[in-house]
Amino acid sequence: MHPWLALLFTALLSLPASVAVAQVRVAAALSSSSIEQGDVVMLTVTVFNPSGNPTAPKFSLPDGVLGEGPSVGRSLSIVNGVSTSSVEYQYRLRADL
């Protein structure tokens, strides 16, 4: 067995049996604060520490705004026994006034 493999195995065994999980929260951001005809902005909705398997948010767009998406990204991190995860939904919005 390689020495680094033994070290990794030892490190995994030393992890706590249960990990703390942070609270769920949601954030939304636009890539621009204004939009004109033909412009494209990105709407990003991020769910931090979701429980289960969240579904993409559903929302209506104002007249004259077209939407595509979402594209979905997921991340998971465990640092010092604290688990954090997020799911990011990204939508492409275009003004078609």
Side-chain angles (χ1 to χ4, degrees):
M1 182 182 318
H2 292 298
W4 61 267
L5 190 56
L7 182 60
L8 176 63
F9 185 70
T10 303
L12 289 174
L13 288 177
S14 68
L15 288 175
S18 63
V19 294
V21 178
Q23 290 187 334
V24 175
R25 71 184 170 92
V26 178
L30 285 170
S31 62
S32 177
S33 60
S34 64
I35 186 171
E36 295 183 24
Q37 184 169 353
D39 285 353
V40 173
V41 297
M42 300 303 288
L43 168 63
T44 303
V45 178
T46 307
V47 181
F48 296 94
N49 302 307
S51 58
N53 190 18
T55 58
K58 296 184 183 346
F59 53 89
S60 57
L61 295 172
D63 291 339
V65 177
L66 303 175
E68 297 175 9
S71 59
V72 181
R74 298 176 186 273
S75 73
L76 171 65
S77 174
I78 300 175
V79 177
N80 295 329
V82 178
S83 171
T84 57
S85 63
S86 66
V87 180
E88 182 178 276
Y89 302 95
Q90 198 166 58
Y91 298 86
R92 184 177 184 266
L93 307 178
R94 182 171 59 89
D96 190 31
L97 305 171

